[in-house]
Amino acid sequence: MDYPNEILIILAWGSLLKIDKYIFLFSFPALVYLFSFTIYPIVSNFILSLYTQDVLGRLHWTGLGNYLWFNKDPFLSQIIINTLLYMFLTPIIDIILAIPLAIALKRLGSKWLFIIMLPSFIPPVTAAVMWYLMLNPFFGLAYYVLRWNWASSIWTVILVNVWRTLPITVLIIYSGLKSISKEVEAAASVDGLTGPKKFFMIDLPLIAPQVLTAFILMMITGLFTFDPIYIGTSQAGPRVLDNLAYYSFDQFYSGDPGYAAALIVLMSILSTFFSILYIKLLNMKRFVKLPVPKFIPSKNTPLIVHRIILILYMIFILLPMIWVLNISFKTPLEIISIPPTIFPEKVTISNYQMIFNDGLSYIITSTSIALINTLITLLLIAPLSYSMAMHKFGGAKLLIYILYTNATPTLIYIIPLFSFLRYLNVINTWWALILTYPIMTIPVTTWIMYNYYVKFPKQIEEAAEVDGLNRLKVFYKMVLPLSKGGLSVAAIYAFLYSWGALIFPLAFTYSPYNLNKPLSFSGAQTFSIFIGLLMSPVTMSYGGVAASGIISSIPPLILLYLGRNNLEKIWSSGGV
Amino acid sequence: MALKLLGIKKKYGAFTLEISELTFLDKSYTIVLGPSGSGKTTTLRIISGLETPEEGKIILDDKDITYDPPWKRDIGVVFQNYALYPHLTAYENIAVPLKVKKLDNKEIDRRIRKIADVLGITNELYKYPSQLSGGQQQRVAIARALVKEPKVLLLDEPLSNLDARLRLDVRSFLKELQKKLEMTVIHVTHDQEEAMAIADNIVLLNNGRIIQVGTPNEIYRKPKNMFIFNFIGLSNIIPAHILGIHDADYVGFRPEDAIIKKNNEGIKAKVKRIQYLGAYKLIELMIDNEIKIIVRTRPDENIQEEENVNITIPNNLLLKFKGEEALY
């Protein structure tokens, strides 16, 4: 067969590494992308952290100057306290809340899982605006409960975090509970272990790996809390809610990339440490033993208790969404009436009309980029994950790297990526987002598809090869058409991540899509930015915020509905 | 003084288990035998209390225990995969049922040491299940079931997870244990050889119904119908008229009961294949070129393939069948 020169060179590399040429060709595009968009930014970030930028934008060597400034920065001590609070309280509260719900789900059946999953599907920005609207002490539901300055409280940020991450925590713990063998359950029953005593003596020790996995995962999420702070800051003012993630982004945004880079290096070290912990935990087979005091009863909890628990959680999960739905149909005057009305007195759709007039260009960008990125992601990761699973391509090292990037927030890449995009002259265009979005979606989808292909029958490939198809053809003609199940789960993830993205578009764009010159593809602010803009004290268009929050939830809700029967698989394919 | 099932009914989709009356004799080793899907595991789960029957009663020593939860039943269960708690040591596993009963630690320790001694796992007590061999795990599981001194011990396919060599040892061990502790044991299996080897009594199940109850010898020599005759051991069935019998449709006989003769006595048959099995030979023969039978001979029997021989079967070892049912 004749290949163009470039491919010959790639193949030569492959043969040097003693890898089948087709397998190497398959995996090459995704690997090049993955390595260049992660390793380069990490290294470059470190170098940048040794420089400082002057007012003209020139960089000067400063050595450890940026790091030494940590000591003097007047904001930093409060910021570090906030960071630690977000980082530890989010997973602790998550786990404490998730366990009773997971137990209730196991008793009552998983049909309720669909509703429980809602918060994790809607964009993080939307989740934040929902809570801030509801907790507004004058116009929100909080008027009737507790008129308190919720916006300036870090507890609100933690509350939004918990609300958004609780579903995944529940899903992880629930899947752990479900994986306890039926015979062990029967043995416990014969031995007389039921209710709380059985939970502490048998269940909790056996699901310890899942609980720890969830803890680490939510700790990383907590460490990189961004969206609720972004929305909250527009209400509370600067520096009140900041954590390291938000502060470093702010430093980068306001023109101090060197110091931002130093802060990011600090976070990268933290997140690497936790990623390694997370990877270790995924392979953990050890169980934890707990001392169970005698007073813990061995009595079955009545079903009604589980039902009440489920109802309480449903209220917690649905309330902000219902409140926002209500507001979105209120007239502007009614929205700012005190006391707030529970249901709209006069239903209006003017808020939605406003969004479709003013927000159209944002919606077009978000939808298009999310679809394009989903497609690109699938094209890149399907062959890569296939050769990793079927042909052990890259071995354990590559797999660990995928897991590492999976647990590493993309915030740590933004500064070098920004310079790179500026170099390409594509800042504030669709190309900027198309180029960078895959880095958010490749790790998680590769991991999903890797787990999918590990269970894929190898005979299909062998049979097709015996029939005379080469590996490339085998993959595109036989394997891909049979992978719909896995690819659809991966596609849901890719779309959700792209649709809800905030940090990349905030960093790489500054104006909405230019509808007058559509083919320039310039102007690329996304819908999540639009929601943030509406929420700012300048606009203060709460009706618009509510309506856009609802609109931004519609695509995820459709996906949730389509994937409702695979919810348990979604985690089990992406986890332990 | 025994365990009794009365009018039990339990439905699973299209499958129904129905037992009108079944008594497990006190201090005996009963094997519930049946092909897969016959309802034997369901029977065991109903006895243990893991399932509740829709109708009927379970009576243990004149006490109705139908609706008692499993742990109040005085019944020990050993599961097929042993179901040991993986995070607890052997000692802690065995202690669980006693801890639930809130016995004091001294008494718990005394009982565990006693049962561990009986089962020969004293040296294994501080190991985790993953550090034990399959056979040791099983002994721990048995110890956990026995430590609360139940009246009845249920064993679910206890030999199926062991390798062939260990199986013979374990099955005689189980029987000895039952004798030593003078216990009522109910053992569920699909392996008829295992059942024949150790049971005092066999309960034969098929399609959710009991089809025969009896000693191994009764089941082997006096099966109630053709299914049982074929299910237990090797069997031959030929039309009755071939042997000149006219009060039955078919006759059956065991391979070891037929005698090969080289004279003209009996029915004519042609040797098709010879399987040499060490202790004996199995000879496949054809009668009239259409009915296949198997005969067992001594290993040194002088016989060739394609040879024409004659077969006789002593009349008292013949089983007569009218339709599917055996005639006695």
Side-chain angles (χ1 to χ4, degrees), chain B residues 1-35:
Chain B
M1 285 284 279
L3 177 70
K4 225 180 216 172
L5 304 186
L6 281 174
I8 297 288
K9 214 173 194 181
K10 176 88 191 170
K11 267 191 185 170
Y12 272 112
F15 171 82
T16 319
L17 175 75
E18 265 190 278
I19 297 173
S20 55
E21 195 185 340
L22 178 60
T23 307
F24 295 95
L25 294 179
D26 215 21
K27 293 172 188 170
S28 74
Y29 202 116
T30 306
I31 288 196
V32 178
L33 175 66

Short mmCIF file of all heavy atoms in Angstrom, two decimals, chain B residues 1-35:
data_model
loop_
_atom_site.label_atom_id
_atom_site.label_comp_id
_atom_site.label_asym_id
_atom_site.label_seq_id
_atom_site.Cartn_x
_atom_site.Cartn_y
_atom_site.Cartn_z
N MET B 1 -40.71 -35.11 66.10
CA MET B 1 -39.44 -34.38 66.14
C MET B 1 -38.79 -34.39 64.75
O MET B 1 -38.03 -35.29 64.42
CB MET B 1 -38.48 -35.05 67.14
CG MET B 1 -38.83 -34.80 68.59
SD MET B 1 -38.39 -33.16 69.13
CE MET B 1 -36.65 -33.36 69.47
N ALA B 2 -39.16 -33.42 63.96
CA ALA B 2 -38.55 -33.38 62.63
C ALA B 2 -38.93 -32.07 61.96
O ALA B 2 -39.67 -31.27 62.53
CB ALA B 2 -39.05 -34.55 61.80
N LEU B 3 -38.40 -31.88 60.77
CA LEU B 3 -38.77 -30.71 59.96
C LEU B 3 -39.78 -31.16 58.93
O LEU B 3 -39.59 -32.17 58.26
CB LEU B 3 -37.52 -30.15 59.27
CG LEU B 3 -37.76 -28.97 58.34
CD1 LEU B 3 -38.14 -27.72 59.13
CD2 LEU B 3 -36.52 -28.70 57.51
N LYS B 4 -40.86 -30.40 58.85
CA LYS B 4 -41.96 -30.81 57.99
C LYS B 4 -42.38 -29.67 57.08
O LYS B 4 -42.53 -28.53 57.54
CB LYS B 4 -43.14 -31.19 58.88
CG LYS B 4 -43.83 -32.49 58.49
CD LYS B 4 -44.96 -32.74 59.44
CE LYS B 4 -45.08 -34.23 59.70
NZ LYS B 4 -46.05 -34.51 60.76
N LEU B 5 -42.60 -29.94 55.80
CA LEU B 5 -43.20 -28.96 54.89
C LEU B 5 -44.59 -29.44 54.56
O LEU B 5 -44.78 -30.61 54.22
CB LEU B 5 -42.38 -28.84 53.59
CG LEU B 5 -40.89 -28.50 53.71
CD1 LEU B 5 -40.30 -28.28 52.34
CD2 LEU B 5 -40.70 -27.26 54.56
N LEU B 6 -45.58 -28.53 54.65
CA LEU B 6 -46.97 -28.91 54.41
C LEU B 6 -47.61 -27.97 53.40
O LEU B 6 -47.66 -26.76 53.63
CB LEU B 6 -47.77 -28.86 55.71
CG LEU B 6 -47.61 -30.03 56.68
CD1 LEU B 6 -48.35 -29.74 57.97
CD2 LEU B 6 -48.09 -31.33 56.06
N GLY B 7 -48.10 -28.50 52.31
CA GLY B 7 -48.87 -27.72 51.33
C GLY B 7 -48.17 -26.48 50.82
O GLY B 7 -48.78 -25.44 50.62
N ILE B 8 -46.85 -26.57 50.62
CA ILE B 8 -46.07 -25.41 50.20
C ILE B 8 -46.35 -25.07 48.72
O ILE B 8 -46.38 -25.96 47.87
CB ILE B 8 -44.57 -25.68 50.37
CG1 ILE B 8 -44.21 -25.92 51.82
CG2 ILE B 8 -43.73 -24.57 49.75
CD1 ILE B 8 -44.24 -24.69 52.68
N LYS B 9 -46.52 -23.78 48.47
CA LYS B 9 -46.69 -23.32 47.09
C LYS B 9 -45.89 -22.03 46.92
O LYS B 9 -45.97 -21.13 47.77
CB LYS B 9 -48.17 -23.04 46.83
CG LYS B 9 -48.58 -23.35 45.40
CD LYS B 9 -50.08 -23.21 45.28
CE LYS B 9 -50.56 -23.84 43.97
NZ LYS B 9 -52.02 -23.70 43.82
N LYS B 10 -45.10 -21.97 45.87
CA LYS B 10 -44.35 -20.73 45.61
C LYS B 10 -44.20 -20.55 44.10
O LYS B 10 -43.76 -21.47 43.40
CB LYS B 10 -42.96 -20.83 46.26
CG LYS B 10 -42.06 -19.67 45.98
CD LYS B 10 -42.24 -18.56 46.99
CE LYS B 10 -41.51 -17.29 46.56
NZ LYS B 10 -41.86 -16.15 47.40
N LYS B 11 -44.59 -19.37 43.63
CA LYS B 11 -44.56 -19.11 42.18
C LYS B 11 -43.41 -18.21 41.81
O LYS B 11 -43.07 -17.27 42.53
CB LYS B 11 -45.86 -18.42 41.76
CG LYS B 11 -46.92 -19.38 41.31
CD LYS B 11 -48.07 -18.62 40.66
CE LYS B 11 -49.17 -19.60 40.32
NZ LYS B 11 -50.41 -18.98 39.92
N TYR B 12 -42.79 -18.52 40.66
CA TYR B 12 -41.76 -17.63 40.07
C TYR B 12 -42.08 -17.52 38.60
O TYR B 12 -41.70 -18.39 37.83
CB TYR B 12 -40.39 -18.27 40.21
CG TYR B 12 -39.68 -17.95 41.49
CD1 TYR B 12 -39.45 -18.94 42.43
CD2 TYR B 12 -39.23 -16.66 41.74
CE1 TYR B 12 -38.81 -18.65 43.60
CE2 TYR B 12 -38.59 -16.37 42.91
CZ TYR B 12 -38.38 -17.37 43.84
OH TYR B 12 -37.73 -17.09 45.01
N GLY B 13 -42.79 -16.52 38.19
CA GLY B 13 -43.16 -16.42 36.78
C GLY B 13 -43.95 -17.65 36.37
O GLY B 13 -45.00 -17.94 36.95
N ALA B 14 -43.44 -18.37 35.42
CA ALA B 14 -44.16 -19.55 34.92
C ALA B 14 -43.90 -20.78 35.78
O ALA B 14 -44.59 -21.78 35.69
CB ALA B 14 -43.75 -19.84 33.47
N PHE B 15 -42.88 -20.68 36.65
CA PHE B 15 -42.48 -21.84 37.45
C PHE B 15 -43.23 -21.86 38.78
O PHE B 15 -43.38 -20.84 39.44
CB PHE B 15 -40.98 -21.77 37.69
CG PHE B 15 -40.46 -22.79 38.65
CD1 PHE B 15 -40.20 -24.08 38.22
CD2 PHE B 15 -40.25 -22.47 39.99
CE1 PHE B 15 -39.72 -25.02 39.10
CE2 PHE B 15 -39.77 -23.41 40.87
CZ PHE B 15 -39.51 -24.69 40.42
N THR B 16 -43.73 -23.01 39.17
CA THR B 16 -44.37 -23.15 40.48
C THR B 16 -43.75 -24.30 41.24
O THR B 16 -43.59 -25.40 40.69
CB THR B 16 -45.87 -23.45 40.34
OG1 THR B 16 -46.39 -22.66 39.29
CG2 THR B 16 -46.60 -23.15 41.63
N LEU B 17 -43.41 -24.04 42.49
CA LEU B 17 -42.95 -25.12 43.36
C LEU B 17 -44.14 -25.55 44.20
O LEU B 17 -44.81 -24.73 44.81
CB LEU B 17 -41.82 -24.60 44.26
CG LEU B 17 -41.33 -25.60 45.32
CD1 LEU B 17 -40.48 -26.68 44.68
CD2 LEU B 17 -40.55 -24.88 46.40
N GLU B 18 -44.43 -26.85 44.20
CA GLU B 18 -45.55 -27.34 45.00
C GLU B 18 -45.12 -28.57 45.76
O GLU B 18 -44.73 -29.58 45.16
CB GLU B 18 -46.72 -27.70 44.07
CG GLU B 18 -47.72 -26.59 43.92
CD GLU B 18 -48.97 -27.06 43.21
OE1 GLU B 18 -48.92 -27.11 41.96
OE2 GLU B 18 -49.94 -27.40 43.89
N ILE B 19 -45.19 -28.50 47.09
CA ILE B 19 -44.84 -29.65 47.91
C ILE B 19 -46.00 -29.91 48.84
O ILE B 19 -46.30 -29.09 49.71
CB ILE B 19 -43.56 -29.37 48.73
CG1 ILE B 19 -42.38 -29.15 47.78
CG2 ILE B 19 -43.27 -30.52 49.69
CD1 ILE B 19 -41.11 -28.71 48.46
N SER B 20 -46.71 -31.02 48.66
CA SER B 20 -47.89 -31.23 49.49
C SER B 20 -47.48 -31.70 50.88
O SER B 20 -48.00 -31.22 51.87
CB SER B 20 -48.84 -32.23 48.83
OG SER B 20 -48.15 -33.42 48.55
N GLU B 21 -46.54 -32.64 50.97
CA GLU B 21 -46.05 -33.00 52.29
C GLU B 21 -44.66 -33.58 52.17
O GLU B 21 -44.39 -34.43 51.32
CB GLU B 21 -46.97 -34.00 52.97
CG GLU B 21 -46.64 -34.07 54.44
CD GLU B 21 -47.41 -35.12 55.21
OE1 GLU B 21 -48.48 -35.55 54.72
OE2 GLU B 21 -46.93 -35.51 56.28
N LEU B 22 -43.77 -33.13 53.01
CA LEU B 22 -42.41 -33.64 52.99
C LEU B 22 -41.86 -33.58 54.41
O LEU B 22 -41.90 -32.55 55.06
CB LEU B 22 -41.55 -32.80 52.05
CG LEU B 22 -40.07 -33.19 51.96
CD1 LEU B 22 -39.90 -34.62 51.47
CD2 LEU B 22 -39.33 -32.24 51.02
N THR B 23 -41.36 -34.71 54.89
CA THR B 23 -40.79 -34.75 56.23
C THR B 23 -39.32 -35.08 56.13
O THR B 23 -38.94 -36.04 55.45
CB THR B 23 -41.49 -35.81 57.09
OG1 THR B 23 -42.90 -35.57 57.03
CG2 THR B 23 -41.02 -35.76 58.52
N PHE B 24 -38.50 -34.26 56.77
CA PHE B 24 -37.07 -34.57 56.83
C PHE B 24 -36.82 -35.27 58.15
O PHE B 24 -37.11 -34.70 59.22
CB PHE B 24 -36.25 -33.28 56.75
CG PHE B 24 -36.39 -32.58 55.44
CD1 PHE B 24 -37.31 -31.56 55.27
CD2 PHE B 24 -35.60 -32.96 54.36
CE1 PHE B 24 -37.45 -30.93 54.06
CE2 PHE B 24 -35.72 -32.31 53.14
CZ PHE B 24 -36.66 -31.30 52.98
N LEU B 25 -36.32 -36.49 58.08
CA LEU B 25 -36.16 -37.27 59.31
C LEU B 25 -35.09 -36.66 60.20
O LEU B 25 -34.08 -36.16 59.73
CB LEU B 25 -35.79 -38.72 58.96
CG LEU B 25 -36.89 -39.48 58.23
CD1 LEU B 25 -36.42 -40.89 57.92
CD2 LEU B 25 -38.17 -39.50 59.06
N ASP B 26 -35.36 -36.75 61.50
CA ASP B 26 -34.45 -36.22 62.50
C ASP B 26 -33.11 -36.95 62.44
O ASP B 26 -33.05 -38.16 62.27
CB ASP B 26 -35.09 -36.42 63.88
CG ASP B 26 -34.73 -35.27 64.78
OD1 ASP B 26 -34.37 -34.21 64.25
OD2 ASP B 26 -34.81 -35.45 66.00
N LYS B 27 -32.02 -36.19 62.61
CA LYS B 27 -30.68 -36.75 62.69
C LYS B 27 -30.32 -37.61 61.48
O LYS B 27 -29.60 -38.60 61.61
CB LYS B 27 -30.50 -37.56 63.97
CG LYS B 27 -30.55 -36.66 65.18
CD LYS B 27 -30.57 -37.43 66.47
CE LYS B 27 -30.80 -36.45 67.60
NZ LYS B 27 -31.06 -37.12 68.86
N SER B 28 -30.85 -37.25 60.33
CA SER B 28 -30.48 -37.99 59.13
C SER B 28 -29.93 -37.03 58.09
O SER B 28 -30.07 -35.82 58.20
CB SER B 28 -31.69 -38.72 58.57
OG SER B 28 -32.54 -37.79 57.96
N TYR B 29 -29.26 -37.60 57.09
CA TYR B 29 -28.66 -36.81 56.02
C TYR B 29 -29.56 -36.92 54.81
O TYR B 29 -29.62 -37.96 54.17
CB TYR B 29 -27.27 -37.36 55.72
CG TYR B 29 -26.35 -36.37 55.04
CD1 TYR B 29 -25.20 -35.93 55.66
CD2 TYR B 29 -26.62 -35.90 53.76
CE1 TYR B 29 -24.35 -35.03 55.04
CE2 TYR B 29 -25.79 -35.00 53.13
CZ TYR B 29 -24.64 -34.57 53.78
OH TYR B 29 -23.80 -33.67 53.16
N THR B 30 -30.29 -35.85 54.51
CA THR B 30 -31.20 -35.88 53.36
C THR B 30 -30.61 -35.07 52.22
O THR B 30 -30.13 -33.96 52.45
CB THR B 30 -32.57 -35.29 53.74
OG1 THR B 30 -33.04 -35.97 54.89
CG2 THR B 30 -33.55 -35.44 52.60
N ILE B 31 -30.66 -35.63 51.03
CA ILE B 31 -30.21 -34.87 49.87
C ILE B 31 -31.39 -34.55 48.99
O ILE B 31 -32.18 -35.44 48.64
CB ILE B 31 -29.12 -35.64 49.10
CG1 ILE B 31 -27.84 -35.62 49.93
CG2 ILE B 31 -28.90 -35.02 47.72
CD1 ILE B 31 -26.59 -35.99 49.20
N VAL B 32 -31.56 -33.24 48.69
CA VAL B 32 -32.59 -32.84 47.74
C VAL B 32 -31.92 -32.79 46.37
O VAL B 32 -31.00 -32.00 46.15
CB VAL B 32 -33.18 -31.46 48.11
CG1 VAL B 32 -34.20 -31.04 47.09
CG2 VAL B 32 -33.78 -31.51 49.50
N LEU B 33 -32.35 -33.67 45.49
CA LEU B 33 -31.67 -33.87 44.21
C LEU B 33 -32.60 -33.48 43.07
O LEU B 33 -33.80 -33.80 43.12
CB LEU B 33 -31.27 -35.35 44.11
CG LEU B 33 -30.63 -35.84 42.81
CD1 LEU B 33 -29.27 -35.20 42.61
CD2 LEU B 33 -30.49 -37.35 42.82
N GLY B 34 -32.06 -32.85 42.07
CA GLY B 34 -32.89 -32.52 40.91
C GLY B 34 -32.07 -31.80 39.88
O GLY B 34 -31.04 -31.21 40.20
N PRO B 35 -32.53 -31.83 38.63
CA PRO B 35 -31.82 -31.08 37.59
C PRO B 35 -31.98 -29.58 37.83
O PRO B 35 -32.79 -29.17 38.65
CB PRO B 35 -32.52 -31.50 36.30
CG PRO B 35 -33.84 -32.01 36.71
CD PRO B 35 -33.70 -32.53 38.10
#
